Every structure is written in C-alpha cells, then in structure tokens.
Amino acid sequence: MSQVTTIATSQYTRYNTKVTKNRAISEPAWIRWTLISIALLFLSLFLFIPLIAVFTEGLRKGFETYFAAITEPDALSSIKLTLIAAAIALPLNLVFGVAAAWSIAKFEFKGKSILITLIDLPFAVSPVIAGLIYVLIFGLQGWFGEWLMEHDMKVVFAIPGIVLATIFVTFPFIARELIPLMQAQGKEEEEAGLVLGASGWQIFWRITIPNIKWGLLYGVILTNARAMGEFGAVSVVSGHIRGLTNTMPLHVEILYNEYNYAAAFAVASLLAFLALITLALKSYVEWQTANNALKNERGHQ
Amino acid sequence: MNKRRNILPGFGLSLGYTLLYLSLIVLIPLSAAFIKTTELSWQEFWTVVTAPRVVASYKLTFGASLIGALLNAVFGLLTAWILVRYTFPGKKIVDALVDLPFALPTAVAGIALTAVYATNGWIGSLLEPLGIKVAFTPLGVIVALTFIGLPFVVRTVQPVLEDLESETEEAAASLGANRWQTFYKIILPAVWPALLTGFALAFARAIGEYGSVIFIAGNMPMVSEITPLIIITKLEQYDYAGATAVAVVMLVISFALLLLINALQWWTNHRLTASK
C-alpha cells in the first residue's frame, strides 16, 4: 500500500499553497476559526498531547533517573542492536530500491504493474505476520530449522532474524519513492550521456544519482525511522533475551511491563526525539524538492 | 509509446536483482505461511479460524479499524482543508507533525496513549467522571487505531485540494450557490476518490496494527483482544499451525484490500489527469 506514494505526490505540490482572498469562495471568519479549532482539538487529543506525555513521563522522576535509564547496560545494548539492524537493512533496501526503480522506470516489459503491486506487498502484511513467516522458515520446526541447528547457527531468536524482519517491513519504502520520481524524469538525459560515450556506470553515477538524490534521501529517512521503530515483526523473532536480542522498542515494552514507567518513557523519549528529527529532515527535503521544482520551472521559461 | 529499441544498459542486471531480492525476502517467506497451513485438514483449519475467541478478535479488529478509519476520514478531510485553505499560527509545524504516526515507533505511541487515556492520565481523568473509560477497553483500541491511521487521509486529500481550480467554485458562487452547496456539490465530489483511498489505506493499516494497540487494549480474551495478538499467543504456545491458519485469513483479507486500494488510486489519478 503506497503510503509513501501519497506523500511523494504531496511533496511536489506542498509549499505552493495559495490562501485565497476571494470572499465569494471563502468562509466567514467565525466558520474558519471554528473549523481550525475543531481540527486542532482532534490533533491535540490524538497527536500533540500523547507526544508531550512521552517527554514529561520520562522526566517525571528527574534528570538523574532519566540518564540512569538510558545509560544502563541493557538499554545501551538495545540501542546498539537497533543501530545494527538499521545499518544492515538500510543499504540492502537502498540497493534494491535503486535497482527496482531503474528497471521499472527506464524500461518497458510485461507484468510491470504486477511487479509494482508485489513490491507493495509488505505494506499490506501485518508486522506480526512478517515475523511469523521467518519463524516458519528458520525456526526450530521450520524448513531450515534442523539444518541450522546441525551447523550451530541461529536465525530466529537471534540478530539475523531481527535484521530479516526489519528488512521485510521497510522493503518497499525506497523503491516506492524512486519509481514515480524516475518515471517522471524520463530517460532522455541518460540517453544523451550514452550517445556522448559515457559508460553505463558513469551515466548512473553522474546523471541518475544527482537527479534522484532528494527522492533517495526522502526514502532513506522513512526507511530509517521505520527500521529503528519496528515493534511487531521484531517482537515475534526476537525471543526477548535481555542484553542480547532486545531492540529499543522491545526494551521499552519490557520496562513498561515491569511497571518501571519512568525508565520505559525515558528510552521511549529517545525514540520520540528520533521521530521528531525524522519529521524535521523530511520537511527540509520537501522544501528542497519544492525549491528545485520552482527553479526548474523558471529555468524553462 | 513508440516501439523504438531501448539503448540504456543494465536492464537484465537490475530486473534480475529486483526479482531475486523480492523472491528471497518477500515471496518465498510469504508462501511459507500458505504451505504451512496445508498441514491442517480443511476441517481443522475451519475449526481454528472460527473458534469463538478468534471470531471475537475479528469483530474487534475490523470494527475498531472501521471506526478509526471513519474518524480519520472526517477529521482528516477537515485537517487537510484547514492546512490548504486557511492560515493560522504554527501551521507549518502542525503540517509537519501530521506525519508523526509514520515516524513514531508504535510501541512508543502505545505507551504514550495509555498514559494519557488511563483513568489517572491527562485526558482519561477528565473522561472518567463522565463514565467513559478508554484505556483497557475496546474504546482504547479505537483510539490507538485512529492514531496510527491519522496521516493517510490528510496526505491523500491534501494534494487534491491544492490542485482544485478556484474557477469552478467562483462559477458556483456566481450562479447563486452558497458555500455549503459549493462544498457538497463541487468540492466533495472532486476529493471523493482521494478520500476513499485515504480511508482504505487507514483501514488496511489499522487491521494489521499490533504495537500501539497491545498496551492500551488490556488484551482480555473475547473483549479487547485483537487478531494479531491471537497469532502471537498461539506462537507462544508453540501452536505454529494454528497461528499460521489465522495469519492466512488475515493475509487473504489484506491482499484483497491492497488490490482495492490500487484500483482506487488508479481512479484518483485517472480523475486528476482527466480534469487537466
């Protein structure tokens, strides 16, 4: 499901918002402010107040408890594992995203729309099921369970399983961001490079990559946020071994279930902070893309 | 599309790698779920997926997802409207924060919503005197599913509202329509496909959601237990076949929704290009 596509389409139109001054097609001030108030009330109830709560609950017992909670060994090892999982999943999905977008946007072939739908599949699958399918394959009773045990290897309830689940849930993000972008750009520039004697890789690095860099960055930001925050899929394959197979979100869950609320919210606030940075970066990229689009428009006039 | 030869290199490599990676990460593992269910006879499969506790979880998951998506359709349209049409202080920040449910880990959302909506929480303590309990009831499930579906409607409706030509609205006004009539007869039909798409996306996302729900739901069997949690519970009891059977039911429903959403998006794009 292309949640990313919908954002992608909006990133080009945003910041061109024209607020109309025409009274015939606007509403009286009291209606305007009533509608704004209702919408903001809704957003406060579901977004703003819970977001503020994460930080206030985390700091409720003071800065000392806060820092103790995020620097204790189990918390640090969960931060490390989260970073490892994201650091492996991100480049793999990046290479896949660029390869998929290159083949889909620059070439015509049969079954293309089926391929695009298949790339979207992980969006439609519940994270819990994403974890389950890897247990069915690599778990003790799974297809490769006995073989893995004979060779003394572990996938499920170990780091490889966590990485696989992370890759699965972030699978479509970069591809979905790049496909519409590269389709819109066409292939004339690459063809010109080819005619002028550039090799395939030269075309790719010097023409394609500079053209898609903002879309690429946008996809990377979304992938990273989801990779670091994934809970359901990772929870199924992790086995919840403290200090070994707990990612940050799983560590939050354990602390919370132990009624250690201050510590749970302290670690959660790190993740919330990361989310806010993600949103800020995302807005910056959207602003850049809108700016570039404006520049291009002026350049063509 | 003219049939001239494509001179760009790398088609075989990029498509080959795409298909290989897609098969290894997504297609083969997903097929494992379907193959695993064949271990059960049809009779056994049916008994597992129609057990009273499982059926109660379907009702809760689909009912709460539906209500959450409906809430998001109404308030998402309103949010998109005020972001596109009006100015107010802090608008850019509000616009950026709408995407928070995409960026905030679901477990964090779950404990935050629970803290706020528990009977001693900021909002929960205001609702308790009215006799409304949110956390640890099905109402809490609705709150969590509304949260995670929030950006979908806003982000699908927003670009369509921005692209809407003001001329048609001016024409309607000059022909004597009041604002409500213009909204109902001109604006709503134009954003309808996008609104439906956003609704379907929010609904589909809500059905599979796990992390934000389990903290606030209370997870009582038959009352506030969602279907993904049933799968987890069966897994923890080493009932792999049972867990997979329920998973397959959910997968089939999700795939159907995915196809529906693709059709809706095609309709939206078709409308957008046709109107230009």
Side-chain angles (χ1 to χ4, degrees):
Chain A
M1 256 153 335
S2 30
Q3 58 186 75
V4 186
T5 337
T6 57
I7 307 168
T9 41
S10 66
Q11 84 172 279
Y12 300 105
T13 43
R14 307 270 287 284
Y15 298 96
N16 297 329
T17 312
K18 38 185 193 295
V19 175
T20 177
K21 292 272 183 289
N22 187 337
R23 294 214 18 231
I25 57 166
S26 189
E27 292 77 32
W30 70 270
I31 293 187
R32 281 207 304 269
W33 285 104
T34 314
L35 292 179
I36 290 172
S37 308
I38 296 172
L40 290 183
L41 178 71
F42 172 76
L43 293 175
S44 303
L45 287 177
F46 286 94
L47 283 188
F48 306 149
I49 296 177
L51 180 63
I52 296 165
V54 176
F55 292 100
T56 52
E57 292 284 327
L59 290 169
R60 175 166 280 182
K61 289 196 177 152
F63 278 99
E64 224 159 283
T65 346
Y66 182 88
F67 284 114
I70 58 176
T71 52
E72 56 124 355
D74 285 346
L76 287 178
S77 82
S78 79
I79 294 173
K80 203 173 122 200
L81 182 57
T82 298
L83 293 176
I84 291 173
I88 299 174
L90 201 57
L92 285 174
N93 282 341
L94 183 71
V95 173
F96 161 73
V98 174
W102 179 268
S103 60
I104 287 171
K106 308 283 181 193
F107 299 92
E108 293 304 319
F109 55 91
K110 269 193 191 145
K112 195 196 250 186
S113 56
I114 297 174
L115 180 60
I116 297 177
T117 309
L118 287 177
I119 290 174
D120 270 350
L121 264 187
F123 279 147
V125 173
S126 170
V128 169
I129 298 175
L132 168 76
I133 55 178
Y134 291 112
V135 174
L136 292 179
I137 293 179
F138 298 110
L140 255 189
Q141 307 177 15
W143 292 354
F144 299 117
E146 266 177 42
W147 187 88
L148 284 171
M149 198 153 89
E150 277 165 20
H151 292 79
D152 208 23
M153 283 190 281
K154 257 190 139 183
V155 174
V156 168
F157 305 144
I159 296 174
I162 292 171
V163 172
L164 272 174
T166 308
I167 292 175
F168 184 95
V169 293
T170 55
F171 183 85
F173 283 92
I174 295 173
R176 268 327 228 149
E177 194 58 40
L178 291 184
I179 292 167
L181 181 66
M182 280 168 74
Q183 276 176 333
Q185 285 174 348
K187 53 191 181 197
E188 281 80 8
E189 288 183 39
E190 279 88 353
E191 283 171 347
L194 197 69
V195 170
L196 292 171
S199 75
W201 287 112
Q202 281 177 321
I203 295 173
F204 177 72
W205 287 111
R206 300 221 183 140
I207 300 175
T208 310
I209 289 288
N211 272 344
I212 60 171
K213 63 176 182 217
W214 291 113
L216 204 60
L217 183 60
Y218 198 85
V220 165
I221 294 166
L222 291 177
T223 305
N224 183 58
R226 182 70 197 264
M228 292 195 169
E230 178 52 30
F231 178 74
V234 170
S235 163
V236 174
V237 293
S238 131
H240 304 270
I241 307 162
R242 264 196 147 167
L244 278 180
T245 62
N246 266 340
T247 59
M248 284 170 83
L250 297 178
H251 189 59
V252 170
E253 183 200 19
I254 289 189
L255 292 171
Y256 188 85
N257 286 343
E258 286 170 349
Y259 303 102
N260 194 349
Y261 294 138
F265 277 101
V267 179
S269 74
L270 287 183
L271 287 165
F273 187 63
L274 182 82
L276 290 178
I277 293 176
T278 302
L279 292 184
L281 278 175
K282 207 167 135 290
S283 299
Y284 174 73
V285 172
E286 279 166 359
W287 178 74
Q288 278 290 345
T289 341
N291 256 9
N292 285 351
L294 265 182
K295 258 188 231 155
N296 283 342
E297 252 173 53
R298 279 193 202 127
H300 286 302
Q301 271 167 9
Chain B
M1 189 81 218
N2 53 355
K3 283 247 168 179
R4 70 191 169 121
R5 233 174 79 88
N6 199 324
I7 54 165
L8 287 179
F11 177 63
L13 178 69
S14 60
L15 186 66
Y17 182 73
T18 302
L19 292 176
L20 178 73
Y21 191 74
L22 178 72
S23 306
L24 285 179
I25 300 290
V26 180
L27 298 182
I28 296 171
L30 272 181
S31 66
F34 290 90
I35 293 168
K36 180 80 183 173
T37 41
T38 55
E39 284 177 13
L40 296 171
S41 72
W42 177 247
Q43 191 72 43
E44 286 168 323
F45 176 81
W46 192 248
T47 318
V48 171
V49 300
T50 57
R53 193 168 152 187
V54 180
V55 171
S57 83
Y58 299 145
K59 282 184 188 158
L60 175 69
T61 304
F62 288 96
S65 300
L66 193 66
I67 297 171
L70 281 172
L71 277 172
N72 277 323
V74 174
F75 290 101
L77 177 63
L78 180 64
T79 306
W81 178 265
I82 66 157
L83 287 176
V84 172
R85 293 295 176 103
Y86 303 152
T87 42
F88 55 91
K91 179 168 138 174
K92 282 213 168 128
I93 295 172
V94 171
D95 195 359
L97 279 177
V98 164
D99 282 332
L100 185 71
F102 285 158
L104 193 70
T106 51
V108 177
I111 63 170
L113 289 169
T114 313
V116 170
Y117 284 93
T119 43
N120 58 355
W122 291 341
I123 300 174
S125 60
L126 299 176
L127 293 172
E128 212 204 358
L130 308 171
I132 305 171
K133 268 195 180 167
V134 181
F136 316 122
T137 69
L139 213 54
V141 180
I142 295 173
V143 168
L145 295 181
T146 308
F147 171 86
I148 56 116
L150 206 145
F152 290 100
V153 174
V154 182
R155 292 304 185 226
T156 43
V157 170
Q158 209 172 5
V160 180
L161 270 182
E162 277 166 358
D163 279 354
L164 219 58
E165 302 289 339
S166 55
E167 281 86 351
T168 28
E169 287 175 52
E170 283 164 6
S174 71
L175 291 170
N178 62 32
R179 257 332 254 168
W180 176 246
Q181 284 172 322
T182 311
F183 174 77
Y184 196 70
K185 300 224 161 133
I186 307 278
I187 299 168
L188 199 57
V191 300
W192 188 246
L195 189 63
L196 265 183
T197 309
F199 170 81
L201 283 169
F203 181 65
R205 171 73 211 265
I207 287 173
E209 179 56 19
Y210 172 73
S212 58
V213 179
I214 51 157
F215 293 99
I216 201 171
N219 306 326
M220 272 176 296
M222 305 299 291
V223 180
S224 57
E225 193 179 39
I226 53 167
T227 312
L229 182 65
I230 298 252
I231 297 175
I232 297 251
T233 313
K234 284 190 187 294
L235 265 181
E236 281 170 354
Q237 295 161 348
Y238 301 103
D239 179 8
Y240 286 26
T244 314
V246 178
V248 162
V249 172
M250 288 197 76
L251 277 177
V252 169
I253 293 166
S254 305
F255 293 165
L257 275 170
L258 179 69
L259 291 178
L260 177 78
I261 289 162
N262 276 357
L264 280 171
Q265 277 180 338
W266 180 84
W267 186 29
T268 316
N269 292 337
H270 194 68
R271 275 273 201 104
L272 271 178
T273 41
S275 68
K276 272 179 185 161

